[in-house]
Amino acid sequence: MTDSVSFETQGDIAVIRIDHPPVNAASHAVRAGLVAAFDRFAKGPEKVAVLYGAGRTFVAGADISEFGKTPKEPSLPDVVNHIEAQEKPVVCVIHGTALGGGLEIALGCHYRVMLRGARLGLPEVLLGILPGAGGTQRLPRLTGLMPAIEIITSARQVPAQEALELNIVDALSDAEPLTAGLNFATELLVTGPKVRRVGELPAPKVDQDAVDALRAKLAKTHRGQIAQVTALDAAVRGAALPFAEGLAEERRLFMELFNSPQRAALVHAFFGERKVAQLPELKGVQPRATAQVGVIGGGTMGGGIAVACLLNKLSVTLIERDQTAADKARAGIEKMLADSVKRGKLSPEKRDALLNDALTIATDYAALGQYDVIIEAVFESMDVKKEVFAALDRVAKPGAVLATNTSYLDVNEIAAVTSRPEDVLGLHFFSPAHVMKLLEIVQADKTAPEVLATGFALAKALKKVAVRAGVCDGFIGNRILKTYRAAADHMVLDGASPFQIDRALVDFGMAMGPYAVADLAGIDIGYMTRQRLLPTKDPRDRWGDWADKLYELGRLGRKTGRGYYIYDDESPRGRPDPEIDAMIAEERARRGITPREFTDDQIVERYMAAMINESAKVVGEGIAKRPLDVDMVLLFGYGFPRWRGGPLHYADQIGLDKVLATIKAAAQEDPYFWQPAPLLEELVAKGRSFSSLNGE
Ligand code: 3HC
Ligand code: NAI
């Protein structure tokens, strides 16, 4: 065998154990070990085999880190076929999660026992591929076609009871994995061990109307993505073919997806999501405690941060300015928790316990005296923030971590009003803070390593994707946003309409275009930012002044029912407001601009070039440590399509020389705005990619 797969005989039973931490992924050593183990079983005296996994889970799928490397025999489909072809029965035990290739291995076995708390699924589409080791052919033979396609295309994890009802597993067990397997095998020995191959079951029936309806739905819900619909095709085509031919067709479609840019982008996102929290300089650094969190300010963000903590078992004390504000903050938190109850994420009893036992709302900072982490989320004003941090410096215990949720302001300046700047950092949550996955952890000049590590520990407790950022106006995300929004404004000044821009970017895959985002965030936010930057504005900097006009007219976006779009009963999600076009036309006339046409492709090209250029500056200046950090910020906080991997992964895919050429062409018209990032120029000159800087 190999180190990763062991073989042992217990009476008439062969016990085959996969032990390949951390998640028993089907790496080459596992695949080779399985073939060797089943060869030995085939030749040996044992009458039944039990296959199970050591550690926390059965096989979590193919080894994703092998993707893109030279494939090594045996392939996973060959391994699964080899197990299924055994002439003596094979029992598989599923514990933890049997995912992707893990479930496919289980489906190659003749019997499946599942531990009651375990889950199984085929999440391949999340990586831009389809189940490529028989999953699209075997699962439908057990469940029927439509339930299998639903599981495959939704990538959801099926709980044990449902797996039993769907005929995916034969029995549930409460025992330890090995005991569960031995018990089942022992019963088989009594009743007469029989081989039962899923691949020999009849093909499932096809309900063409149901298939067509689901296909249309998937094309809509997964706009731009190819994996979901291709996976459906693999299962449907297989139903009309002999089993072996179905497998071959599945393999062909799998390879098509495997070689697509979407697969590369989604795998980049999978590892990027995990790598952002791995900073070499924090290796071995012990974080401080995070059990008790204080929050200052209970508005939009403070309330959301408090709820994020409560939902993740952290107790919270929130401080507001006065009793009226405190009552308002409580009502806001109650509403957010009520929504969680409504969505079935929280029981009413749990909600009551959180509100009564885990949340305190006070108006005196002294209540925070013994707290581990205190997060400030008051108004975005340097003066107010300074007052708050001076007060915190007086009451917080030594070693407490003091964080600001500021969106743009200088964290060094805030830290400097305390006697302990080493304890201060930025924790930049995104709205709504209990929903959005991104957390920027802003390291100021004097932030101590264990304080930074505490930020990451808190993020983990809150199940956030945390990215380290340096200090600058807007950190990683908002700084880049400011630039690509400006590029959009320039195109509007020159002739594009905001609605065309939004539409072109949604077609590209963005969750929303910049003007729909402005309406959602509130037109006042952009206005305040521009006011703050007005004193330092360079005369060459072109701003779209119509946005200020919107503010002056009280059209603040969704919250007032009108911004760029009109929100009412007729169009709760907004319809373009024709008055906007008129306002913009007026501004063009005032500036003497003759509008010109932009194609959707030109819009996307310019917008992405601006985003990539600013991203490259952010990396070049060390505000983000690696390109992948920028990519994850844009994926988890700004609606960038995951299947395009983030702006810098996307830049690598379209070619950095092409991006630089777009920037240089645009610079002919506006050399001030379109100054190429030195890092981008350097990479192009050396023929290198952003990914070469990720340490991948
Ligand atoms: N291959 C390689 N590494 C994997 C892996 C896989 N399939 N699954 C997880 N890992 C690694 C992670 O990168 C992480 O490494 P790190 O510690 O160095 O960052 C480590 O295992 C632990 O993973 P998590 O931090 O995600 O651990 P959790 O306990 O939170 O989650 C899990 C465990 C639910 C198994 C989750 O890791 C997961 O969803 N993994 C991916 C499962 C998947 O997509 N499987 C399908 C693969 S494609 C396939 O099978 C193709 C086939 O059809 C041919
Ligand atoms: P908000 O106006 O909704 O809430 C601010 C709250 O702070 C108010 O309830 C106010 O009563 C309270 N407050 C003010 N001074 C206080 C003091 N001295 N002590 C105690 N409480 C005080 O503002 P919002 O949107 O929650 O923003 C808060 C911070 O979060 C700002 O720095 C903002 O830039 C940042 N932020 C905002 C995001 C958003 O989308 N709204 C996103 C990310 C960060």
Side-chain angles (χ1 to χ4, degrees):
M1 296 334 87
T2 60
D3 287 350
S4 306
V5 180
S6 62
F7 186 105
E8 199 186 287
T9 304
Q10 294 199 15
D12 285 335
I13 304 173
V15 175
I16 300 172
R17 175 175 128 122
I18 303 171
D19 188 359
H20 191 63
V23 293
N24 288 327
S27 314
H28 178 252
V30 170
R31 301 194 306 271
L34 284 173
V35 169
F38 280 100
D39 280 346
R40 179 168 161 187
F41 171 58
K43 290 189 200 118
E46 299 85 359
K47 296 192 175 123
V48 182
V50 168
L51 173 66
Y52 81 107
R56 58 174 151 139
T57 181
F58 188 65
V59 176
D63 183 343
I64 304 167
S65 66
E66 287 182 357
F67 286 12
K69 297 183 183 153
T70 314
K72 277 201 208 162
E73 298 289 317
S75 71
L76 193 57
D78 288 348
V79 174
V80 176
N81 293 339
H82 187 61
I83 297 173
E84 187 172 59
Q86 295 296 309
E87 302 286 352
K88 298 181 282 182
V90 181
V91 178
C92 177
V93 185
I94 294 172
H95 82 290
T97 42
L99 298 177
L103 176 56
E104 291 174 302
I105 290 174
L107 295 176
C109 297
H110 307 138
Y111 298 89
R112 285 157 294 281
V113 186
M114 189 167 180
L115 266 51
R116 229 170 266 279
R119 289 173 173 265
L120 54 78
L122 293 169
E124 282 86 346
V125 290
L126 301 179
L127 298 167
I129 50 177
L130 53 77
T136 65
Q137 307 302 304
R138 289 191 178 90
L139 191 63
R141 283 176 157 78
L142 289 174
T143 64
L145 186 64
M146 292 319 286
I149 295 180
E150 187 277 324
I151 290 171
I152 294 167
T153 55
S154 70
R156 77 183 168 95
Q157 293 187 7
V158 179
Q161 184 59 38
E162 189 187 349
L164 181 71
E165 285 159 16
L166 282 172
N167 197 31
I168 304 172
V169 299
D170 302 288
L172 303 186
S173 171
D174 291 310
E176 289 298 303
L178 176 57
T179 315
L182 290 175
N183 289 347
F184 193 92
T186 307
E187 271 179 43
L188 269 189
L189 285 169
V190 174
T191 53
K194 273 198 223 70
V195 164
R196 249 180 26 173
R197 298 188 182 98
V198 179
E200 288 172 358
L201 292 172
K205 292 202 171 58
V206 181
D207 173 346
Q208 197 56 47
D209 289 345
V211 168
D212 292 345
L214 183 60
R215 199 170 206 290
K217 189 170 153 220
L218 290 171
K220 219 164 142 190
T221 47
H222 298 281
R223 192 171 31 90
Q225 294 189 64
I226 50 177
Q228 287 77 5
V229 167
T230 312
L232 173 143
D233 287 342
V236 175
R237 287 182 201 170
L241 293 169
F243 183 64
E245 285 175 39
L247 285 181
E249 179 63 3
E250 174 194 83
R251 196 68 192 157
R252 196 183 66 73
L253 293 172
F254 174 85
M255 289 316 295
E256 235 175 68
L257 291 179
F258 195 83
N259 293 325
S260 75
Q262 294 195 7
R263 193 276 299 162
L266 287 162
V267 169
H268 171 68
F270 177 86
F271 285 118
E273 183 176 347
R274 288 161 176 80
K275 266 195 188 164
V276 278
Q278 295 165 5
L279 297 184
E281 65 270 32
L282 291 186
K283 227 180 177 158
V285 176
Q286 277 305 313
R288 296 182 190 163
T290 57
Q292 289 203 303
V293 180
V295 178
I296 318 244
T300 309
M301 293 309 290
I305 294 167
V307 170
C309 292
L310 293 173
L311 291 175
N312 288 290
K313 303 188 179 72
L314 301 178
S315 68
V316 179
T317 289
L318 187 143
I319 306 291
E320 257 295 351
R321 288 182 293 175
D322 50 41
Q323 198 50 50
T324 313
D327 292 344
K328 199 169 158 212
R330 180 174 283 277
I333 291 173
E334 280 173 1
K335 185 169 180 308
M336 282 183 252
L337 290 178
D339 286 347
S340 295
V341 172
K342 215 191 283 167
R343 279 185 284 121
K345 304 232 166 202
L346 189 69
S347 70
E349 300 75 35
K350 191 88 214 301
R351 184 246 344 251
D352 293 345
L354 291 179
L355 286 170
N356 296 331
D357 308 331
L359 174 70
T360 308
I361 301 194
T363 53
D364 185 349
Y365 284 44
L368 298 180
Q370 292 310 310
Y371 274 60
D372 303 316
V373 179
I374 303 174
I375 305 166
E376 164 278 309
V378 302
F379 303 131
E380 184 77 340
S381 143
M382 184 53 94
D383 291 342
V384 182
K385 305 248 186 228
K386 281 183 173 172
E387 263 175 43
V388 170
F389 273 79
L392 282 180
D393 196 27
R394 288 192 293 274
V395 301
K397 69 178 179 185
V401 170
L402 309 181
T404 171
N405 181 47
T406 180
S407 305
Y408 288 95
L409 301 177
D410 184 344
V411 184
N412 287 318
E413 201 179 327
I414 295 172
V417 302
T418 71
S419 61
R420 39 174 135 178
E422 66 281 4
D423 290 340
V424 177
L425 82 172
L427 287 179
H428 184 214
F429 290 81
F430 288 72
S431 181
H434 63 301
V435 176
M436 292 292 286
K437 289 274 279 178
L438 180 64
L439 178 65
E440 283 183 327
I441 303 192
V442 185
Q443 182 179 20
D445 290 351
K446 295 191 178 157
T447 307
E450 69 270 21
V451 171
L452 190 63
T454 311
F456 279 99
L458 180 68
K460 194 164 179 208
L462 298 179
K463 303 193 185 82
K464 302 280 183 207
V465 175
V467 180
R468 178 246 167 238
V471 175
C472 68
D473 199 87
F475 317 118
I476 298 176
N478 281 348
R479 170 170 161 180
I480 297 169
L481 161 76
K482 208 165 62 194
T483 303
Y484 62 73
R485 165 64 200 261
D489 283 357
H490 296 169
M491 287 188 275
V492 170
L493 276 177
D494 292 335
S497 104
F499 310 115
Q500 183 197 1
I501 289 181
D502 277 0
R503 205 195 53 240
L505 290 162
V506 168
D507 287 348
F508 172 77
M510 298 294 294
M512 296 167 101
Y515 299 100
V517 168
D519 273 1
L520 186 66
I523 301 286
D524 44 328
I525 304 251
Y527 177 82
M528 299 298 177
T529 307
R530 278 193 300 278
Q531 289 301 305
R532 187 170 51 78
L533 297 177
L534 200 55
T536 52
K537 178 178 183 254
D538 190 288
R540 293 168 295 176
D541 203 344
R542 297 200 313 153
W543 288 8
D545 294 335
W546 73 83
D548 291 344
K549 200 157 171 198
L550 280 182
Y551 175 82
E552 284 152 17
L553 290 170
R555 300 174 49 146
L556 303 188
R558 282 195 182 211
K559 57 187 163 192
T560 58
R562 214 159 173 186
Y564 289 94
Y565 296 83
I566 298 172
Y567 304 87
D568 55 16
D569 290 345
E570 188 190 317
S571 58
R573 297 158 133 248
R575 66 177 183 282
D577 187 339
E579 283 183 17
I580 294 289
D581 293 324
M583 258 183 234
I584 292 166
E586 206 176 287
E587 185 173 341
R588 285 185 198 128
R590 189 165 50 74
R591 294 184 184 220
I593 296 170
T594 309
R596 68 174 198 263
E597 295 232 337
F598 285 83
T599 64
D600 288 2
D601 286 348
Q602 284 168 331
I603 287 171
V604 170
E605 188 178 63
R606 279 218 174 182
Y607 191 81
M608 291 312 302
M611 191 187 293
I612 293 163
N613 199 35
E614 194 64 26
S615 299
K617 289 179 187 172
V618 159
V619 176
E621 292 168 23
I623 298 299
K625 293 253 179 187
R626 303 156 295 191
L628 72 88
D629 292 310
V630 173
D631 284 343
M632 296 310 117
V633 166
L634 269 293
L635 291 193
F636 289 100
Y638 294 83
F640 196 95
R642 189 177 168 99
W643 51 274
R644 291 197 191 266
L648 295 180
H649 177 86
Y650 174 71
D652 278 348
Q653 288 201 330
I654 56 174
L656 300 192
D657 49 349
K658 189 164 171 254
V659 177
L660 188 59
T662 303
I663 293 168
K664 287 191 167 161
Q668 306 270 325
E669 295 165 21
D670 184 351
Y672 175 73
F673 181 78
W674 291 99
Q675 296 175 41
L679 176 63
L680 179 61
E681 290 192 301
E682 185 191 322
L683 291 174
V684 171
K686 291 183 176 162
R688 289 180 61 188
S689 63
F690 283 112
S691 78
S692 70
L693 306 176
N694 281 333
E696 277 171 353

